[in-house]
Amino acid sequence: MEKRPRVGIVLGSDSDFEVMEEATRVLDDFGVPYEVTVASAHRSPERSAAYAREAEARGLEVLIAGAGMAAHLPGVLAASTALPVIGVPLRGGALNGMDALFSIVQMPPGVPVAAVAVNGARNAALLAVQILGVKDPELRAKFRVYKERMAAEVAVKSAKLQEKLLSSLK
Amino acid sequence: MEKRPRVGIVLGSDSDFEVMEEATRVLDDFGVPYEVTVASAHRSPERSAAYAREAEARGLEVLIAGAGMAAHLPGVLAASTALPVIGVPLRGGALNGMDALFSIVQMPPGVPVAAVAVNGARNAALLAVQILGVKDPELRAKFRVYKERMAAEVAVKSAKLQEKLLSSLK
Amino acid sequence: MEKRPRVGIVLGSDSDFEVMEEATRVLDDFGVPYEVTVASAHRSPERSAAYAREAEARGLEVLIAGAGMAAHLPGVLAASTALPVIGVPLRGGALNGMDALFSIVQMPPGVPVAAVAVNGARNAALLAVQILGVKDPELRAKFRVYKERMAAEVAVKSAKLQEKLLSSLK
Amino acid sequence: MEKRPRVGIVLGSDSDFEVMEEATRVLDDFGVPYEVTVASAHRSPERSAAYAREAEARGLEVLIAGAGMAAHLPGVLAASTALPVIGVPLRGGALNGMDALFSIVQMPPGVPVAAVAVNGARNAALLAVQILGVKDPELRAKFRVYKERMAAEVAVKSAKLQEKLLSSLK
Amino acid sequence: MEKRPRVGIVLGSDSDFEVMEEATRVLDDFGVPYEVTVASAHRSPERSAAYAREAEARGLEVLIAGAGMAAHLPGVLAASTALPVIGVPLRGGALNGMDALFSIVQMPPGVPVAAVAVNGARNAALLAVQILGVKDPELRAKFRVYKERMAAEVAVKSAKLQEKLLSSLK
Amino acid sequence: MEKRPRVGIVLGSDSDFEVMEEATRVLDDFGVPYEVTVASAHRSPERSAAYAREAEARGLEVLIAGAGMAAHLPGVLAASTALPVIGVPLRGGALNGMDALFSIVQMPPGVPVAAVAVNGARNAALLAVQILGVKDPELRAKFRVYKERMAAEVAVKSAKLQEKLLSSLK
Amino acid sequence: MEKRPRVGIVLGSDSDFEVMEEATRVLDDFGVPYEVTVASAHRSPERSAAYAREAEARGLEVLIAGAGMAAHLPGVLAASTALPVIGVPLRGGALNGMDALFSIVQMPPGVPVAAVAVNGARNAALLAVQILGVKDPELRAKFRVYKERMAAEVAVKSAKLQEKLLSSLK
Amino acid sequence: MEKRPRVGIVLGSDSDFEVMEEATRVLDDFGVPYEVTVASAHRSPERSAAYAREAEARGLEVLIAGAGMAAHLPGVLAASTALPVIGVPLRGGALNGMDALFSIVQMPPGVPVAAVAVNGARNAALLAVQILGVKDPELRAKFRVYKERMAAEVAVKSAKLQEKLLSSLK
């Protein structure tokens, strides 16, 4: 990771890396440099706020934050930065991520967070790529290729399934 | 309010005072000095954190925070103080306060918030009185009287209802 | 609106403009040129897909889509463009926007939508401003000023509320 | 499958076949020819729309679509065909299929989808049989026999359970 | 209504006609003869069962049933007929139609009901038209026209909204 | 079971006996004769209705019905008998019994069902005992003893737990 | 009310009488003597417990309790009596009665409460009539007549609606 | 436990100790003496009420109650004491603790319970420590140290994760 990171991935707890690792893989695939930090909105509030306040000056362009339960982390980051913040509600605890989803998506007017699906680490990274693509034509071109490949894969999988069904008839 | 406030009531927005005013009335009734502040977890994060960090030194003993939607305020305060924090989820928006309830009650291990019912400003203040009663025998005695009066009122209301029913039979 | 629009606001129905108009006001305030289109994912599927496919070539940089009930519009747009798509779940019908929220935020891996709160048109526009700010330093500077003004307003409102409370004591 | 398929079963992902296979078994039992296709509303939007647009001309009479999470597939198909579309919300992800249910059943006025239970692949196929039965008296006769057999099986199971209970008393 | 009715609309209560009337208007528009009956699954169980048992012999081809709360009516009809049954969950009572939705859509394997949105009377009728269209090419042709008109109306509404926005700028 | 059954336990499916068996054990303990029948509201509607219509004449005094998903069975029985009907929502399927709970408890005015907790077979039987106790003083006396034993067991368990805690301190 | 009351209706608050009054009307219609009491599980715990403990000795045979929010009243009564207790969850507060429903229906094994629909005061009274009918053949006969009248009314309403529809065609 | 207990932990069932044990560990760590009692609100109502009534006289200062399903225990204790009561909703049963959460947090005005997260035994104990800290400066000092240690641990975990990521790159 010699290049200066463009995306800051923030985890409420190091155990959240299990789910959030998928975001790093997507960014690796797209060649987008990133960094990973643990900073709890509740257990280390000053660390979280400092990270958000300094993110822009450090050259970060998008933040991704994953958190579970009363998932305040994405909102707490968004409160202290002008960068776009993507929030990933994490499943866990008794309410299955519904609590994290509401805590992340229902932000009050003035301080937006871009929410993705519960445990949607992959889409958080793809959304970061799309956002960076607004200024980076090469990245957007890569994203277009990614979309075409997905569409092609659907056709291939459909053909394979039909083949399997046909052969099971013989 | 010459006396130094013991309870700090924090509102995410000045419009929340409509519901939270009931807490001030209860504290007035019990003779507990308090102060009211507006400090949004998201729109004014530094103000909120500073309030929480300085609350203890300023002599506050309990914090009450009311907030709606992704109601991070009570948790954000709890992150920066050792005082007990009572959270009041406020109804509002499309999800009727369910979002605020989850955002307040589902705090992660390590940083508790004492949640009361949606729009439960009265109970938040009563809980503050009970907490202060741990050190203040006079206040607890008042609370005991309050409870006895409530019980007596139930008996009176029951008698009135029965009277009304009987008279409607004649 | 002489300038080429940078943000495309898409409504599932013209009646959604009542809520989504707030997004246009925010974009006006930030001086971001935009366009507004009605295109239903279900009643006019080809129109929706064509809009998304051509958006990038037409110079749009971010799409905002508001829809209610089984709110497929943001996802349908995201399926056909490499631009970032912001989805606004609209309240309406018996399920109060919970259906629209789930339909928008729970996108499958590969095709992200950035969800904001139910009826969160203001935040959708602010998120678009933040995204454009990734490439446009002037816009980001404006956003920083916006944040500072919000924080200042909180302090002012707090002072006013305290004044009101004090005067009511006399 | 020499006969021209009458029912088109569309899967958002080939992994959905695990649940949706039950629909193929029911159609096999009733002797209704069908085809199975993978076409994601989001990953392969043009493929999905093309399938729906051409379905009628290819002789299909009913479509069945299974999808999970923000399950747009049935609605996207319904948008582009005049054929009746049956939607099967699939369980999966953190919200247990509640998201897919809302995304499928809450279609806006003008574009209906016939929703069945979460993971209700069997009922989707039976509903297709009932629909085809509107024009095909032989098929309806088969369905009536199916219903009578179900009723008879309930009586048999009841007798067996009572026998078991009696013998356990001796 | 000289023609023999093809669609039977069944209401759990005559007060449900307020919502269900929209279904009759759609069927009138498509020229599909229908009849309307009140038959409660709970208050008049024999009447409901008899209606379902005799529906086919009386020439009905599709049933539509609207019911609220523990909305058993569509399932009770489906239990006693081989005709396709469309269920409309009606809003009402404290749970806002969520109870009726679950009671209608979560039918057990073997006895399908085609559920539409809460209060979705219009879509219930359109689905009936689509089902009858399986055997009736003229009706399907009308439905295709209906879809084209909807798409055209979206374009018109979009143009009008844009005009309004432009004129408000001058 | 020589004695004439007083309680009729009805299962929507023989697989429901796994949960509902607990009701038979409670009735055995209280010496209340009962019978068990399988009768699906949907798969065998006439059997269900006939059972309910004849229940009173056959000497049954209370009905208990367990069912899952769109759990219509208790309501369908209640529609055809003047006996009190107790409904047990069974867990199962994607919605975890919430669907069965709503389908059972939200009965419309005129036809009550007495709902107990999801999978609450034990309480269904105890409620039946309480209801029979209205006419049978001996049974009520047994129930009183049962309650006293429960209270005593709590005290015993408390003592054991305290002992365990004390011994772990040494 | 010269006769000794057989049914005890308990309200958590006198304001609950607005909804619960319907239960008194039903009991009046069936000629079942009853009494109405206000006793809060929380504000007057000893009053509630005493009422339940003495209910049987005072000749009451069934209790009906209505309560909202964390509706503990029915469970608290059931804890202290061997009589059957019917619980009516009352709508009110932000969660629309869902909280009261869960608090009433989800009773733990050993202490049943018979839950009816949210605000289902009418059905609570009818259930009480059914329960008393277990020992009182005359009351059950009245209930049978009530059911027949309901069924007849459905037929009448159906005829009226059809007439209205026909006359609107002319 | 020679010292007089300051915190009373009450369990609705001895099986709840599995979750609630975590509270005892926290109190042990902070050197706060406590006692553990089993007392069911429903199975042993007099025991529960007596415990609450005598708690204050016995020197207890805070109560913690854990309960599942229709979790009335915390509210029943709060009804009979002037001490602050902390309620822990326990996961269990079909509704995953949502029922217990609503039953605990939605207390009516006049009788507060301080609710923590579902299964939040750790936070219940920490909240008790914060409450005792209102009168006990030494305990509050310990709590401050606890918070600092948590914040430090977050920084350590972050460093470890970054190290791991770096080494995986080589």
Side-chain angles (χ1 to χ4, degrees), chain B residues 69-116:
Chain B
M69 297 185 69
H72 297 187
L73 184 59
V76 159
L77 296 176
S80 295
T81 184
L83 299 178
V85 177
I86 300 167
V88 185
L90 297 179
R91 193 177 186 166
L95 303 186
N96 265 326
M98 186 85 93
D99 42 4
L101 173 56
F102 287 176
S103 295
I104 286 175
V105 81
Q106 286 295 91
M107 288 291 289
V111 187
V113 164
V116 295

Side-chain angles (χ1 to χ4, degrees), chain G residues 1-153:
Chain G
M1 257 191 286
E2 275 175 86
K3 288 200 198 153
R4 199 174 62 174
R6 301 181 68 182
V7 177
I9 299 176
V10 192
L11 315 177
S13 157
D14 58 338
S15 64
D16 297 340
F17 190 64
E18 202 179 340
V19 172
M20 296 301 293
E21 191 175 11
E22 202 179 358
T24 65
R25 277 192 235 110
V26 171
L27 295 177
D28 282 336
D29 287 352
F30 278 91
V32 175
Y34 59 87
E35 64 178 24
V36 180
T37 310
V38 183
S40 163
H42 297 121
R43 287 188 295 268
S44 60
E46 292 178 34
R47 179 180 173 85
S48 305
Y51 185 85
R53 273 196 309 268
E54 298 159 13
E56 189 183 336
R58 291 181 47 242
L60 291 166
E61 296 172 277
V62 182
L63 300 187
I64 294 174
M69 296 186 69
H72 297 188
L73 183 59
V76 159
L77 296 176
S80 295
T81 183
L83 299 179
V85 177
I86 300 168
V88 185
L90 296 179
R91 193 175 187 168
L95 303 186
N96 264 326
M98 186 85 94
D99 42 5
L101 172 56
F102 287 177
S103 295
I104 286 175
V105 81
Q106 286 294 92
M107 288 291 290
V111 188
V113 164
V116 294
V118 179
N119 274 12
R122 164 173 291 270
N123 274 2
L126 291 171
L127 183 56
V129 168
Q130 285 179 309
I131 290 172
L132 294 174
V134 166
K135 100 191 252 200
D136 183 341
E138 198 183 339
L139 203 51
R140 182 173 290 159
K142 278 190 198 170
F143 192 81
R144 253 186 258 115
V145 172
Y146 172 83
K147 281 182 90 65
E148 279 155 28
R149 206 178 51 214
M150 275 200 303
E153 279 169 6

Side-chain angles (χ1 to χ4, degrees), chain E:
Chain E
M1 258 194 286
E2 275 174 87
K3 288 201 200 151
R4 199 173 64 174
R6 301 182 67 183
V7 176
I9 299 176
V10 192
L11 314 177
S13 156
D14 58 338
S15 64
D16 296 340
F17 190 63
E18 200 179 342
V19 172
M20 296 302 293
E21 190 175 11
E22 202 178 359
T24 66
R25 279 192 234 109
V26 171
L27 296 176
D28 282 336
D29 287 353
F30 278 92
V32 174
Y34 59 87
E35 64 178 25
V36 181
T37 310
V38 183
S40 163
H42 297 122
R43 286 188 296 269
S44 61
E46 291 177 34
R47 178 179 172 85
S48 306
Y51 185 85
R53 272 194 310 268
E54 298 159 14
E56 189 183 337
R58 291 182 46 242
L60 291 165
E61 295 173 276
V62 182
L63 301 187
I64 294 175
M69 297 186 69
H72 297 187
L73 182 60
V76 158
L77 296 177
S80 295
T81 183
L83 299 179
V85 177
I86 300 168
V88 185
L90 296 179
R91 193 176 187 168
L95 303 186
N96 265 325
M98 187 85 95
D99 42 4
L101 172 55
F102 287 176
S103 295
I104 286 175
V105 82
Q106 286 294 93
M107 288 292 289
V111 187
V113 164
V116 294
V118 179
N119 273 13
R122 164 173 291 271
N123 274 2
L126 291 172
L127 183 56
V129 168
Q130 286 180 310
I131 290 172
L132 294 174
V134 167
K135 103 192 250 202
D136 182 342
E138 199 184 338
L139 203 52
R140 182 173 290 159
K142 277 191 199 169
F143 191 81
R144 254 186 256 113
V145 172
Y146 171 83
K147 281 182 90 66
E148 278 154 28
R149 207 179 50 216
M150 274 199 304
E153 280 169 7
V154 169
V156 170
K157 282 180 178 170
S158 191
K160 278 193 187 159
L161 179 61
Q162 285 166 344
E163 220 170 291
K164 199 182 88 181
L165 288 173
L166 278 173
S167 67
S168 74
L169 289 180
K170 286 171 195 170

Side-chain angles (χ1 to χ4, degrees), chain A residues 4-84:
Chain A
R4 201 173 61 174
R6 301 181 68 184
V7 176
I9 299 175
V10 192
L11 315 177
S13 155
D14 59 336
S15 64
D16 296 341
F17 191 63
E18 202 180 340
V19 171
M20 295 302 292
E21 192 175 10
E22 202 178 359
T24 66
R25 278 191 233 109
V26 171
L27 295 176
D28 282 335
D29 287 353
F30 278 92
V32 175
Y34 59 87
E35 64 178 26
V36 180
T37 310
V38 183
S40 163
H42 298 121
R43 287 188 296 267
S44 61
E46 292 179 33
R47 180 180 172 85
S48 306
Y51 185 85
R53 273 195 309 268
E54 298 159 14
E56 189 183 337
R58 291 181 48 240
L60 291 166
E61 295 172 275
V62 182
L63 300 186
I64 294 174
M69 298 184 69
H72 298 188
L73 184 58
V76 158
L77 296 176
S80 294
T81 184
L83 299 178

Side-chain angles (χ1 to χ4, degrees), chain D residues 18-105:
Chain D
E18 203 180 338
V19 171
M20 295 301 293
E21 192 175 10
E22 202 179 0
T24 66
R25 278 192 235 110
V26 170
L27 296 177
D28 282 336
D29 287 353
F30 279 91
V32 175
Y34 59 88
E35 65 178 25
V36 180
T37 310
V38 184
S40 163
H42 298 121
R43 286 188 296 268
S44 61
E46 291 177 34
R47 180 181 172 85
S48 306
Y51 186 85
R53 273 195 308 269
E54 298 159 14
E56 189 183 337
R58 291 182 47 241
L60 291 166
E61 295 172 277
V62 182
L63 300 187
I64 294 174
M69 298 184 69
H72 299 187
L73 184 59
V76 159
L77 296 176
S80 295
T81 184
L83 299 178
V85 177
I86 300 168
V88 185
L90 296 179
R91 193 177 185 166
L95 303 186
N96 266 326
M98 186 85 94
D99 42 4
L101 173 55
F102 287 175
S103 295
I104 286 175
V105 81

Side-chain angles (χ1 to χ4, degrees), chain H residues 52-84:
Chain H
R53 273 195 308 270
E54 298 159 15
E56 190 183 338
R58 290 182 46 241
L60 291 166
E61 295 172 275
V62 182
L63 301 187
I64 295 175
M69 298 185 69
H72 297 188
L73 183 59
V76 159
L77 296 177
S80 295
T81 183
L83 299 179

